[in-house]
Amino acid sequence: MQLKRYQERVISEVKLFLEALASEQATGSQYASLAAWDKAKKLFYLPGDYRPRKNDLGKDLATFCIKVPTGGGKTLLATQILGLVYQTILKNRNGTGLVLWVVPSDQIYKDTLKALRDRRHPYRESLEFSLSRRIEVWEKHEIFRLMPGQLHSNLNILLLKLASTNRETREQLKFFRDSGGNIVQHFPPENDPEKHKALKAQFPNLDMLGEDDGKEEGLVKTSLGNLVRLCEPAVVLDEGHKATSELARSTIEGFNASVVVELSATPPTEANVLVRVTGKELLDEQMIKLPINIANSNQPSWKHCLTQAR
């Protein structure tokens, strides 16, 4: 697929940042994202300061936003950027593992699921080309079938609505509940408490059986929430401006995310906006299809003017 000029610019600038980030991470820097941001400032126009974040393991969490107007192809950009992430800072995963793709609404969820599951869709083709790896797309109710072999041989994209990961309702708590299915195969056997203890030491924020009742049993819950934490996933946050609450952010950080890629037409002031796409760039590439007609109504009242507006 031939990218638009502004899309090529976005990919080029994100790549520069991710390459700088990979270089900083290789040194073991605790502030790799901040240092990479400062390096990127010397390579392309990047106003504003970086706001560091950490995940629940206390690790530096690279978080950046792509500001692109509505209709600018943000999902296509997300697939391209995800490919870059796996070519740079997550190169050691060899294109496998788990990605959380978080969306804010039912309609966006349906559209994204349909596109990513269609092997002939440009979004799916773009991602497979970037990774050179088989891709599996999962919904929350299906992911319990995920086998360890699939996790280590494919890139598995778990599509979620933001509310599905919060702990505020009984339905949403299912995400963190001990469960059966193939999920149990990702955890140590129940009769090996030492391995459970070692896993808890490696990932201190894992939920444990019995802790809700104040009677921790020393066994890690075989829950979807815990599996996600073990994977330290990359996160694609669609319409990141709708996930600005502290609960939303702490939930994502609590999944031990390794990187958060936000896409938004109207990012909040605290967002780390790495690349900005302007409306003029979309217009120059004929991405704005609807004509805008302006006429003088010659009406004496603004109410009459609104009535005539189409």
Side-chain angles (χ1 to χ4, degrees):
M1 164 178 270
Q2 182 64 43
L3 296 178
K4 305 296 184 182
R5 282 174 295 179
Y6 71 86
Q7 292 172 333
E8 291 178 344
R9 178 178 66 82
V10 170
I11 298 305
S12 174
E13 293 178 358
V14 171
K15 184 178 181 181
L16 290 172
F17 171 73
L18 289 174
E19 287 175 342
L21 180 57
S23 176
E24 290 295 328
Q25 289 179 341
T27 68
S29 172
Q30 296 182 351
Y31 306 98
S33 299
L34 180 59
W37 189 271
D38 289 339
K39 281 185 176 181
K41 279 188 169 184
K42 300 176 182 178
L43 301 174
F44 58 89
Y45 178 66
L46 179 53
D49 296 323
Y50 183 80
R51 294 171 176 82
R53 300 196 74 95
K54 292 184 179 295
N55 65 18
D56 247 23
L57 297 177
K59 296 180 180 180
D60 177 59
L61 175 56
T63 304
F64 62 91
C65 176
I66 309 302
K67 183 181 184 298
V68 55
T70 302
K74 58 183 172 61
T75 306
L76 176 61
L77 285 173
T79 61
Q80 293 278 314
I81 293 170
L82 188 55
L84 289 176
V85 165
Y86 269 84
Q87 293 165 21
T88 52
I89 61 173
L90 299 184
K91 188 175 181 178
N92 64 329
R93 298 188 185 182
N94 197 27
T96 67
L98 184 69
V99 170
L100 296 186
W101 194 300
V102 185
V103 299
S105 67
D106 287 336
Q107 190 57 54
I108 294 178
Y109 181 96
K110 292 175 183 176
D111 293 344
T112 305
L113 179 66
K114 182 179 179 181
L116 291 179
R117 280 195 164 165
D118 183 354
R119 297 185 182 277
R120 297 184 178 181
H121 196 282
Y123 298 164
R124 175 66 175 258
E125 291 179 343
S126 169
L127 190 53
E128 288 185 333
F129 180 79
S130 297
L131 295 169
S132 299
R133 177 67 65 174
R134 178 180 173 86
I135 296 170
E136 296 289 347
V137 181
W138 303 85
E139 294 187 84
K140 188 175 63 173
H141 67 275
E142 303 169 327
I143 196 70
F144 296 96
R145 302 199 306 265
L146 177 66
M147 298 285 289
Q150 292 173 292
L151 187 62
H152 299 306
S153 61
N154 305 333
L155 182 68
N156 299 274
I157 299 176
L158 175 57
L159 192 62
L160 295 170
K161 284 179 287 187
L162 184 63
S164 300
T165 60
N166 291 340
R167 293 174 178 253
E168 290 192 320
T169 69
R170 185 182 299 258
E171 175 66 23
Q172 291 157 0
L173 279 168
K174 290 180 180 179
F175 199 86
F176 302 92
R177 187 177 301 161
D178 192 58
S179 58
N182 295 336
I183 289 289
V184 299
Q185 299 185 41
H186 298 270
F187 297 88
E190 290 185 4
N191 61 358
D192 196 339
E194 289 303 313
K195 286 188 177 180
H196 281 263
K197 183 178 178 180
L199 194 60
K200 175 70 172 179
Q202 184 180 358
F203 297 90
N205 63 339
L206 293 177
D207 294 328
M208 306 296 286
L209 286 173
E211 65 182 356
D212 294 337
D213 303 321
K215 301 177 181 179
E216 189 170 313
E217 297 181 9
L219 298 179
V220 176
K221 278 186 180 180
T222 56
S223 67
L224 176 55
N226 273 349
L227 175 59
V228 171
R229 293 179 177 123
L230 293 180
C231 294
E232 297 183 61
V235 177
V236 174
L237 189 56
D238 197 354
E239 299 203 12
H241 59 277
K242 295 184 179 179
T244 57
S245 72
E246 193 55 38
L247 175 61
R249 294 293 173 170
S250 63
T251 297
I252 292 171
E253 291 163 6
F255 284 139
N256 302 338
S258 57
V259 60
V260 178
V261 180
E262 302 177 28
L263 298 109
S264 174
T266 56
T269 54
E270 65 271 18
N272 294 320
V273 181
L274 180 66
V275 184
R276 291 169 168 81
V277 177
T278 67
K280 185 178 185 306
E281 287 180 291
L282 265 64
L283 182 62
D284 290 344
E285 294 288 348
Q286 300 182 352
M287 295 291 285
I288 299 176
K289 305 299 183 184
L290 296 177
I292 300 175
N293 298 316
I294 301 176
N296 189 341
S297 67
N298 293 318
Q299 294 293 332
S301 167
W302 65 268
K303 293 181 181 179
H304 290 104
C305 181
L306 287 180
T307 300
Q308 290 196 0
R310 294 292 189 269

